[in-house]
Structures are given as structure tokens and as C-alpha cells.
Amino acid sequence: EFCETGNGVYTRAGSFANRTFFKHESAVLFVYCLEEERWCLSPVLGSSENMWAEKKTSSGNSSLPFSGPWDVLTGSVIGSTGHPVVKVGTSDAIEVSSMEEYTRRTFENFQTACYEAETKVQGIHYQTFGKQLYLLDSVTKIPKPHSTDMWLEVLRSELDPEYVFSFKAVQT
């Protein structure tokens, strides 16, 4: 099961290897980048042997850790078998929770989006062009072609039964 002491908020604590590292608010746990593409969660800052979890990314020199599920290392010092999920809130804080918590929150967000979609009005919140839906700027009402929201994805799937959307963690 997920190591409960690993859950919680990690705040920016300084710099390690020219990258920001984060420290847990009450436990002695750190999130840091060990190599160019390898973020780690460990009780020992900078350790490559005492890691509990890691996430290798292909984004290169990322200044913030990857959001989403991380991989637990077998034989971890902390002894966890669960999968931590990292959520990057700002450049000053990140949050770690269990996969179950991540799944529950995602489902709650989806439910909220379904309710929200029912309150949206075409021409005020979104615009339809054929089978395409576009978010409208709240002030100018100009379509924002590269913007979306979960409620808009719900509407897209209702408009086009073949449209499929999925959730993924994206680092911003």
C-alpha cells in the first residue's frame, strides 16, 4: 500500500544540481532531479540508492517534476508498494497522493465537468462550427481554438458519439 508519510505537500526548499528541490511539510522526504530526465522521491536528498519512487521524462531539462503517477522502485527503503501521484501546483509547491486518491479526484473532476457542461450556453461560453466546439473568451467572445476545459470535452463527446477524450497529467 502507499506509504502514508509520503502523502502531502512538498514546498520549494532550495536548489540541488541546478534544479529546484522540494521538501515534505512534515516528513523527511524530498523530490529532486537526480539527472537531466530523472525526478526522484527519497528520504535522502541526492541519493540514487535510497529512492522510493522516480519518474523519467523525455522533456529534458525540466525545472519542475512530472505531474501524474510515478514508478515505485522495488526494494525501496520506505517499503511502499503503492504508486505515488505527483501534482505540480505552482513552482513553489507540489502535492503527492496515492493512485487511489488521484483516481478519486479525477472522477470527481469529471462529475463536476458533467454538471458544469449542463450550465454552459452556446454563444456565451462556447461556439460550434460543424462538429467542432471552441471555448469563447469570457470578455471578447472570440473563439480560443487552442483552449479547452473538461466541461467542453464533455460537450464534444455529446455532440459527436465517436469523439473520445482521455485524462492525462500534463506538466505546465
Side-chain angles (χ1 to χ4, degrees):
E1 200 47 39
F2 184 78
C3 179
E4 291 301 322
T5 60
N7 283 335
V9 174
Y10 290 67
T11 55
R12 179 192 297 260
S15 181
F16 172 78
N18 297 321
R19 299 266 187 91
T20 298
F21 77 90
F22 300 84
K23 183 182 180 307
H24 191 278
E25 60 191 349
S26 59
V28 182
L29 288 169
F30 302 93
V31 172
Y32 55 91
C33 191
L34 189 60
E35 299 160 2
E36 204 171 287
E37 298 176 354
R38 184 178 179 201
W39 282 89
C40 309
L41 197 158
S42 171
V44 180
L45 180 63
S47 174
S48 62
E49 297 175 12
N50 295 321
M51 292 186 301
W52 165 38
E54 71 177 1
K55 187 63 180 183
K56 293 180 181 175
T57 65
S58 59
S59 59
N61 195 13
S62 175
S63 61
L64 293 173
F66 176 82
S67 288
W70 283 32
D71 303 315
V72 172
L73 303 173
T74 56
S76 166
V77 180
I78 298 177
S80 170
T81 57
H83 292 272
V85 176
V86 174
K87 177 184 176 189
V88 177
T90 67
S91 61
D92 292 325
I94 59 176
E95 182 181 345
V96 174
S97 61
S98 67
M99 180 61 98
E100 293 79 17
E101 178 69 11
Y102 176 79
T103 302
R104 184 187 63 75
R105 286 184 192 172
T106 300
F107 182 72
E108 286 175 357
N109 289 341
F110 176 71
Q111 283 183 312
T112 301
C114 289
Y115 295 130
E116 226 180 312
E118 293 176 7
T119 67
K120 301 304 178 182
V121 178
Q122 185 172 347
I124 296 176
H125 302 103
Y126 68 95
Q127 188 60 52
T128 306
F129 298 99
K131 285 190 173 183
Q132 297 295 318
L133 283 137
Y134 295 97
L135 203 58
L136 294 178
D137 183 274
S138 60
V139 177
T140 65
K141 304 300 181 220
I142 295 173
K144 297 166 38 175
H146 300 293
S147 297
T148 192
D149 203 314
M150 197 177 295
W151 62 261
L152 189 65
E153 296 300 308
V154 170
L155 288 177
R156 282 184 177 131
S157 67
E158 290 173 358
L159 181 67
D160 182 0
E162 294 181 19
Y163 181 77
V164 177
F165 68 98
S166 61
F167 302 101
K168 67 179 181 176
V170 177
Q171 184 165 338
T172 56

